[in-house]
Amino acid sequence: MDITSLTVHELMDKLEKNEINSKEIVEAYVKRINEKEKDVQAFVTTLCDDAIEKAIEIDNGSKDNFNIAGIPVGIKDNICTKGIKTTCSSRMLENFISPYNATVVEKLDKAGLINLGKLNMDEFAMGASTEYSYFKETHNPWDLNKVPGGSSGGSAAAVAADLVPWALGSDTGGSIRQPASFCGVVGLKPTYGLVSRYGLVAFASSLDQIGPITKDVKDAAILLNIIAGHDEKDSTSYEAPKKDYTKALKNNVKGLKIGVPKEFFGEGINGEVKKKLEEAIELYKSLGAEIEEISLDIAKYSLATYYIIACAEASSNLGRFDGIRYGYRTEKYSSLKELYRNSRTEGFGKEVKRRIILGTYVLSSGYYDAYYKKAQQVRTLVKKEFDKAFEKYDVLLTPTSPTVAFDIGTRANNPLEMYLADICTVSVNIAGLPAISIPCGVDSENMPIGMQLIGNKFEEDKILNAAYTFEQTYGFREKYKPDFKR
C-alpha cells in the first residue's frame, strides 16, 4: 500500500479500522519528502522530526476528533506558526519566528493535524508562478521544467507530488485556484469572511482569503469544515451558521443551473483548454444540469481593477516592514532615512517593489480619484453583475487559467504577461465570492487543465457538490498522475 497516494478521507477510514497508525502515515510522508523534495523544492521549512514525535504522541493518546488526528498537513509560509519561521518567502522576514499561531493553525492543532512544514510561495504572495520566492523556485511535479503556478505554488506542488496529503494556501486574486489548476489538484477559495485571516500576513486585506488545496473534493470539504467559522480576532470574519460541507457532496446535479460567461472563453484562452472545458460542459449536460451561455461584460475590467486595489493595499500593508521594528535591517546606513531606504531596497524582491511603487502611485495626491477611487467604483459594478447572475444561476463555470503551466523563466521578466495568468480568477476576489478549481483533463503534453466553478456568497455547498459530481464521473485521479518528467 502506497500511503502517500491515498486521499485524507481514505487515510481516515484506515485509521478508523486500525489498519494504520499516525506514525506510519507521517513516516511515509517523511520518506517521500526525502525522495522527491530535491526535485520539487516545495518547502521553505520542513518539520519531519517534530512531526514523527507528534504522531507517536497521538498514537499513544486518546482516539477522538473523528480519527482525523495524526494526519499531516502543509502550511503556506505566510500563515503564522508559533515558534516556527514564517518568512513569506522574503529576505525581509528570512529569520522571523512568529510569537503566535494564526487562527487556522490553532484549528488544525485542535483537530490533531500534524504540521509537516512551511511551503514555498511567491514573495508576500505576489506572483503567479512561485518564481518570485527569495529562497528557491518550486517545480511542477507534472513537468519539472514548468512552474507550479502561484502564489501558493509550494502548497499545490506538495499536494500533487504526494509530499503532503493536503495543504493550506491563500488566495488574493487566484493564488489557490491557479496553482491547483497547473498542478492537477483541487483548490478552494472560500467566501471572503468565512475563514479567519487572523495570522495571515497581509498582502491585500480586502481580497486575501485562506483556503484548502487537496487531492480531491471530499478532502476540500473536510478541511473547510475544520478551518471555517467566525473569529472575534478578525473584524472581517462573518458569523455564518456552522455547516458540515461533506453533507453537500450528493453526486447529483440534476436541475442545477449553470451559467457559462462567454467573456471567459474568448481571446487569449488556449485552444486545448477551451476544448476540455467544452467537454466538461457536455458532461454536465449529460448528468442533467441546465447550461446556458451568459454575459458578464464587466469582467473585462476586473484585471485592471484588481491590480489597482491589490497594489494600493499592498503599499499600505507592507509599510510596516521598515528595518526597525522587526524583519531585515541593512548594515549600510548613516541616517534614519537611509536605514529605511536601504532596508526596504535590500529586503524586498523586484516584484514586491514593483507593486509597492504602483500602489503608492495610485494612492497619491492627484491620482487617487483617477485610479483607486475609480477602481472601487468598478468593484461595486462587478459585485452587482455577479449578484444579477446568481438571481438566475446556481453556479458559474469558467476556465481557471487561460493556459496550462508554462516553462520556468519564460514570464518572470514580463510582468504584464504574468498578470494575465490571473484573468479568469481575480473577479471572484473582487466580489468576495467562493470558487473552486478542479482538474478536467490534460493537454497534448499531459499537463493538467483546471475548471473553475463560482458560487454565490456562502454557498460553498453548491460548488462543492457540482465539483464532486464532475470528479466522480470523470475520474481524473484514476486516469492521470504526475510523472516528474524533465
Side-chain angles (χ1 to χ4, degrees), residues 60 64 76 116 133 146 305 336 431 478:
N60 294 334
D64 53 11
K76 187 175 178 181
L116 265 177
S133 167
K146 295 187 184 294
T305 301
L336 181 62
E478 291 73 39

Side-chain angles (χ1 to χ4, degrees), residues 225-286:
N225 279 347
I226 295 170
I227 63 174
H230 178 68
D231 178 18
E232 61 183 18
K233 290 179 284 199
D234 176 5
S235 62
T236 60
S237 178
Y238 184 74
E239 291 195 58
K242 190 73 176 170
K243 290 182 180 179
D244 179 356
Y245 292 100
T246 61
K247 290 182 177 175
L249 310 180
K250 295 173 181 168
N251 198 7
N252 180 11
V253 291
K254 194 162 186 179
L256 187 77
K257 293 180 179 176
I258 301 177
V260 180
K262 62 184 180 183
E263 288 81 6
F264 288 78
F265 289 82
E267 188 181 347
I269 302 296
N270 174 277
E272 291 189 80
V273 171
K274 188 175 180 180
K275 183 173 181 288
K276 285 296 174 188
L277 267 292
E278 287 169 349
E279 289 174 7
I281 289 166
E282 291 305 312
L283 179 58
Y284 272 120
K285 285 180 182 176
S286 73

Side-chain angles (χ1 to χ4, degrees), residues 77 85-97 123-124 132-135 201 317-330 339-350 352-353 356:
D77 206 20
K85 281 186 183 182
T86 299
T87 71
C88 294
S89 290
S90 176
R91 186 182 190 188
M92 182 61 78
L93 292 176
E94 182 177 5
N95 297 307
F96 173 67
I97 296 176
E123 184 183 5
F124 284 102
Y132 297 135
S133 167
Y134 172 67
F135 301 107
V201 180
N317 280 325
L318 271 63
R320 70 193 71 173
F321 303 112
D322 54 14
I324 293 178
R325 285 167 285 191
Y326 57 91
Y328 176 82
R329 178 187 287 202
T330 185
L339 169 62
Y340 285 146
R341 183 175 64 236
N342 291 354
S343 293
R344 290 169 68 81
T345 299
E346 296 166 21
F348 289 134
K350 62 181 180 181
V352 173
K353 290 177 196 169
I356 290 172

Side-chain angles (χ1 to χ4, degrees), residues 111-148:
L113 299 188
I114 298 173
N115 184 6
L116 265 177
K118 305 298 290 292
L119 295 160
N120 197 30
M121 54 185 280
D122 285 300
E123 184 183 5
F124 284 102
M126 299 182 195
S129 66
T130 316
E131 292 173 282
Y132 297 135
S133 167
Y134 172 67
F135 301 107
K136 57 179 73 173
E137 288 176 347
T138 298
H139 300 260
N140 192 317
W142 294 76
D143 183 339
L144 296 171
N145 295 310
K146 295 187 184 294
V147 302

Side-chain angles (χ1 to χ4, degrees), residues 316-418:
S316 175
N317 280 325
L318 271 63
R320 70 193 71 173
F321 303 112
D322 54 14
I324 293 178
R325 285 167 285 191
Y326 57 91
Y328 176 82
R329 178 187 287 202
T330 185
E331 295 179 357
K332 305 169 190 171
Y333 65 94
S334 56
S335 65
L336 181 62
K337 188 174 180 180
E338 207 171 70
L339 169 62
Y340 285 146
R341 183 175 64 236
N342 291 354
S343 293
R344 290 169 68 81
T345 299
E346 296 166 21
F348 289 134
K350 62 181 180 181
E351 180 60 26
V352 173
K353 290 177 196 169
R354 186 182 291 126
R355 297 197 193 196
I356 290 172
I357 290 167
L358 176 57
T360 305
Y361 175 79
V362 301
L363 289 173
S364 61
S365 176
Y367 298 102
Y368 178 93
D369 286 351
Y371 294 105
Y372 185 72
K373 183 180 176 183
K374 184 70 73 179
Q376 292 289 14
Q377 290 169 335
V378 175
R379 183 180 199 168
T380 302
L381 295 177
V382 171
K383 287 180 180 177
K384 287 180 178 176
E385 191 95 356
F386 275 112
D387 288 343
K388 188 178 174 184
F390 286 118
E391 286 174 7
K392 187 173 181 183
Y393 302 100
D394 299 304
V395 171
L396 304 181
L397 185 156
T398 75
T400 306
S401 173
T403 67
V404 296
F406 45 88
D407 288 343
I408 291 170
T410 55
R411 298 190 187 181
N413 295 314
N414 188 338
L416 288 179
E417 194 175 3
M418 188 76 84

Side-chain angles (χ1 to χ4, degrees), residues 155-218:
S155 298
V159 174
D162 293 333
L163 305 182
V164 293
W166 53 7
L168 289 183
S170 69
D171 192 309
T172 307
S175 290
I176 286 173
R177 291 159 288 153
Q178 185 252 25
S181 172
F182 281 10
C183 292
V185 293
V186 173
L188 173 63
K189 182 259 169 202
T191 305
Y192 184 79
L194 182 65
V195 177
S196 172
R197 291 186 300 109
Y198 179 76
L200 173 68
V201 180
F203 161 16
S205 305
S206 73
L207 301 165
D208 297 338
Q209 190 61 71
I210 296 170
I213 296 177
T214 59
K215 294 180 181 181
D216 71 359
V217 176
K218 188 172 182 179

